[in-house]
Amino acid sequence: MRRKQYLNLKWALDKICDYPYKLDIDMGRRVVGHRRAFAATTDVNTLKDHYLPMLQEDWYQVLMATSAIPTLFEGTVAHQGNEFIDGGVSASIPVQEAWRQECRSIIVIRTEQYVTEEPKLVEDEPVAIESPTWFRGSLNNLQLQWQDKVDQWSGDWGAFFESRKVKASSLKHAEQLKLLNGGRWLFGSGDIYRLSHWFGERFDSGLADMLMVHYQTYSLTSEFIKNPPDDCFIWQIAPDQPLKTSSLLSDVDDILHDYQVGLDAGFRFVENYNFAKQHKALTSSNNDLWQPHQAS
């Protein structure tokens, strides 16, 4: 980032499609079967999330679009007449869309430890006094209201962002680098604004708007997860310790460590799920219990 060099996604995808990796799209289609799989993207013009079907004939362009991380990837990805960037800007955890798609048992797989305390909302965001009642159109309406207020936020954002930069300057560089570990890509764990000095002059109003949208939508998503609609249940699979890998150029030992951490988290979920099923239906057949080797 300091050298203003960008991530070449096309080269990366071509590499994993070639020997010895040989990305097998046909196998992916067989595993998905009758189920549906979507990739989250963000329309760069509206900063609203879009969900593109995966593993179809345009799978290559879809993977490019959902991986186009701002500041790491140069420009945007053109697809179906729109310009897209990484879906993490507007939907880092797309549970609301899963609910809109009639999913009622939702499993969230996270790379960050789950914490109950979330960043404080900026003054413009309404604070829920009581547990919210989620309606199908309520999420869209709130996001539309926030979109209308982007210009207003841009004026207030400067002072808020500068205060974060001042706070960041008092921290050691090594502590700042840890924010890349296992986080929500650019907008990673904890205080997301400590990395601002990395971007220098490349931190423009467009990136500031992306940060605002991410900050607000992530807060709404966290509230949705803590207080889901009455007709659905949300499980979370998360590591029990901070990950060691960074966003780019991680050591092999760190990758293997984090792989094992994720595997352990998955096994814990399977065990807890089976225990809950057995507790709920002691006298019924247990043939539907999940096994670790079965696809979720």
Side-chain angles (χ1 to χ4, degrees), residues 93-96 98 103-112 114 221-222 224-229 231-239 265-278 280 288-290 296:
I93 307 177
V95 288
Q96 294 100 321
C103 297
R104 294 301 177 257
S105 294
I106 302 172
I107 301 173
V108 177
I109 303 176
R110 308 181 68 159
T111 56
E112 293 179 299
Y114 177 70
T221 298
S222 299
F224 184 92
I225 292 175
K226 289 188 294 185
N227 298 283
D231 62 346
C232 85
F233 192 86
I234 298 177
W235 290 273
Q236 297 193 69
I237 301 176
F267 279 123
R268 284 196 303 271
F269 168 76
V270 171
E271 292 173 358
N272 292 335
Y273 181 89
N274 286 344
F275 178 79
K277 291 280 289 186
Q278 290 172 333
K280 182 179 179 180
D288 62 338
L289 295 183
W290 285 10
S296 59

Side-chain angles (χ1 to χ4, degrees), residues 77-120:
V77 175
H79 186 59
Q80 297 179 348
N82 296 308
E83 299 290 331
F84 293 112
I85 53 177
D86 189 293
V89 172
S90 55
S92 55
I93 307 177
V95 288
Q96 294 100 321
E97 180 64 18
W99 181 70
R100 295 190 193 101
Q101 294 285 344
E102 306 296 335
C103 297
R104 294 301 177 257
S105 294
I106 302 172
I107 301 173
V108 177
I109 303 176
R110 308 181 68 159
T111 56
E112 293 179 299
Q113 289 178 281
Y114 177 70
V115 293
T116 56
E117 183 179 355
E118 297 293 341
K120 294 182 180 179

Side-chain angles (χ1 to χ4, degrees), residues 21-231:
Y21 308 105
K22 291 286 188 179
L23 180 64
D24 195 338
I25 296 299
D26 291 332
M27 173 65 75
R29 290 169 179 153
R30 290 195 293 271
V31 169
V32 170
H34 66 279
R35 292 167 292 185
R36 298 175 296 162
F38 296 92
T41 62
T42 301
D43 188 312
V44 74
N45 295 311
T46 63
L47 295 184
K48 296 178 182 177
D49 45 313
H50 287 255
Y51 301 89
L52 306 178
M54 297 179 65
L55 304 181
Q56 298 186 354
E57 294 303 317
D58 59 352
W59 65 267
Y60 189 99
Q61 205 68 6
V62 169
L63 286 184
M64 285 276 291
T66 194
S67 305
I69 301 174
T71 74
L72 293 185
F73 177 80
E74 184 176 16
T76 60
V77 175
H79 186 59
Q80 297 179 348
N82 296 308
E83 299 290 331
F84 293 112
I85 53 177
D86 189 293
V89 172
S90 55
S92 55
I93 307 177
V95 288
Q96 294 100 321
E97 180 64 18
W99 181 70
R100 295 190 193 101
Q101 294 285 344
E102 306 296 335
C103 297
R104 294 301 177 257
S105 294
I106 302 172
I107 301 173
V108 177
I109 303 176
R110 308 181 68 159
T111 56
E112 293 179 299
Q113 289 178 281
Y114 177 70
V115 293
T116 56
E117 183 179 355
E118 297 293 341
K120 294 182 180 179
L121 308 182
V122 295
E123 293 181 358
D124 292 273
E125 181 172 354
V127 178
I129 304 301
E130 299 179 354
S131 298
T133 301
W134 299 101
F135 297 98
R136 190 163 303 279
S138 63
L139 298 169
N140 288 330
N141 291 336
L142 277 176
Q143 289 176 335
L144 287 174
Q145 293 173 15
W146 287 348
Q147 186 66 34
D148 293 338
K149 297 180 70 176
V150 163
D151 291 338
Q152 177 185 344
W153 284 339
S154 296
D156 300 333
W157 181 255
F160 177 73
F161 187 79
E162 285 300 321
S163 68
R164 296 289 178 160
K165 289 173 65 177
V166 170
K167 178 181 177 181
S169 64
S170 63
L171 300 175
K172 295 180 180 179
H173 182 65
E175 293 176 341
Q176 295 167 358
L177 292 179
K178 290 180 182 178
L179 294 177
L180 288 174
N181 297 353
R184 302 186 301 275
W185 50 277
L186 174 61
F187 310 126
S189 55
D191 192 345
I192 63 177
Y193 310 100
R194 296 175 189 166
L195 293 173
S196 61
H197 67 287
W198 276 31
F199 305 111
E201 63 184 20
R202 282 170 57 186
F203 189 87
D204 54 16
S205 60
L207 183 56
D209 287 345
M210 292 179 195
L211 280 166
M212 280 192 298
V213 170
H214 171 83
Y215 186 81
Q216 297 289 337
T217 55
Y218 185 76
S219 297
L220 176 64
T221 298
S222 299
E223 186 62 35
F224 184 92
I225 292 175
K226 289 188 294 185
N227 298 283
D230 292 337
D231 62 346

Side-chain angles (χ1 to χ4, degrees), residues 222-255:
S222 299
E223 186 62 35
F224 184 92
I225 292 175
K226 289 188 294 185
N227 298 283
D230 292 337
D231 62 346
C232 85
F233 192 86
I234 298 177
W235 290 273
Q236 297 193 69
I237 301 176
D240 59 356
Q241 58 185 284
L243 300 184
K244 293 185 176 182
T245 48
S246 60
S247 297
L248 298 170
L249 303 178
S250 300
D251 292 335
V252 172
D253 289 342
D254 290 342
I255 294 174

